[in-house]
Structures are given as C-alpha cells and as structure tokens.
C-alpha cells in the first residue's frame, strides 16, 4: 500500500473509533466529516493530475499568456488602439502637434510594453539568471 492509502485507512479507522466512542447519535456528522476529507483528497489528486497533464503538453496556467489566454502584453495594443480613436479626436481638435504628441505617447507605451515582455520571457527561461 502507498502512503495515501495508508492515510485514508487511518482516517477511516479514526472515524470508526470516534463513532464507537460517541455513539450512533453522531454517526451522520462523523460520516460527513470523513466524506469531506475524502472529497478534498480527491480534488487535490485531480488538480495535480490536470496540472501534470497541462505541463506535459506545454500549456501554461494562463498567468504568462499561455496558448489559451491573453497576456497583458497581448491586451495592451488592442486597448491602446481603442483608446487612440477618441484621444486622436481630442488631440486633433487642438492642432497637428497635439495629435503627433498623442500618437508618440501611444507608440512609446506599446514599445515599452513589448520590450518589457520580451525581457521577461528571456529571463523566464530555465537556467537563466539576472547575471547572464
């Protein structure tokens, strides 16, 4: 038997001993408590197996913008273009210089985000440190 089965057997033995000590009046609570612990154990095993399967197939957890998710670096260009439309209208109302400054700011933010995302990816590689 492995350790998980030993732990489960010990939990079941403890529940049975508790039932013997407390009597039949507390049987429902004892069973509920045991089943709650069993459910938590099953959930943990399923979560671990799913995480292992995702890692085996190279799918991230979404925090770094894996295959299924949008990273912050992927959202920023879309958001900045959506915001660029009203900003351009406001800036063009002043003069051409205002519009150029507006677009220079939009481009600057996107370039900075792209450079930062690239540096983060480079540093996230295994065996990589800040000193390399």
């Amino acid at each position: 038997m492995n350790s998980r089965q030993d732990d489960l057997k010990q939990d079941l033995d403890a529940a049975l001993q508790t039932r013997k000590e407390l009597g039949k009046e507390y049987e429902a609570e004892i069973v509920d408590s045991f089943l709650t612990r069993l459910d938590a154990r099953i959930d943990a095993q399923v979560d671990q197996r799913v995480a292992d399967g995702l890692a085996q197939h190279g799918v991230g957890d979404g925090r770094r913008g894996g295959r299924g998710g949008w990273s912050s670096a992927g959202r920023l260009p879309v958001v900045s273009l959506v915001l660029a439309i009203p900003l351009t209208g406001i800036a063009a109302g002043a003069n051409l210089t205002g519009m150029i400054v507006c677009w220079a700011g939009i481009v600057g933010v996107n370039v900075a985000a792209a450079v930062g995302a690239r540096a983060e990816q480079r540093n996230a590689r295994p065996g990589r440190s800040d000193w390399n």
Side-chain angles (χ1 to χ4, degrees):
M1 266 194 235
N2 62 26
S3 65
R4 282 187 237 164
Q5 288 177 340
D6 290 340
D7 291 343
L8 186 60
K9 185 177 182 210
Q10 288 175 354
D11 282 350
L12 182 57
D13 287 340
L16 291 173
Q17 290 298 324
T18 304
R19 194 248 181 223
K20 284 180 185 177
E21 290 176 14
L22 296 178
K24 198 169 187 161
E25 301 85 34
Y26 293 100
E27 186 172 330
E29 289 84 4
I30 294 168
V31 170
D32 287 343
S33 173
F34 177 74
L35 290 178
T36 300
R37 289 193 307 265
L38 184 62
D39 282 344
R41 203 171 272 172
I42 290 170
D43 287 343
Q45 287 178 357
V46 169
D47 290 345
Q48 184 62 45
R49 286 182 183 168
V50 168
D52 291 345
L54 290 174
Q56 183 179 12
H57 289 88
V59 177
D61 58 1
R63 285 184 281 181
R64 292 201 175 203
R67 288 183 189 167
W70 278 53
S71 66
S72 61
R75 281 187 295 245
L76 182 64
V78 173
V79 171
S80 66
L81 286 176
V82 168
L83 292 175
I85 295 167
L87 289 174
T88 301
I90 294 169
N95 57 22
L96 181 63
T97 307
M99 192 170 73
I100 292 172
V101 170
C102 175
W103 274 95
I106 292 168
V107 169
V109 167
N110 281 294
V111 168
V115 169
R118 184 167 291 191
E120 184 179 320
Q121 287 175 350
R122 193 172 41 240
N123 287 335
R125 291 183 190 151
R128 190 88 181 154
S129 71
D130 291 339
W131 295 101
N132 288 341

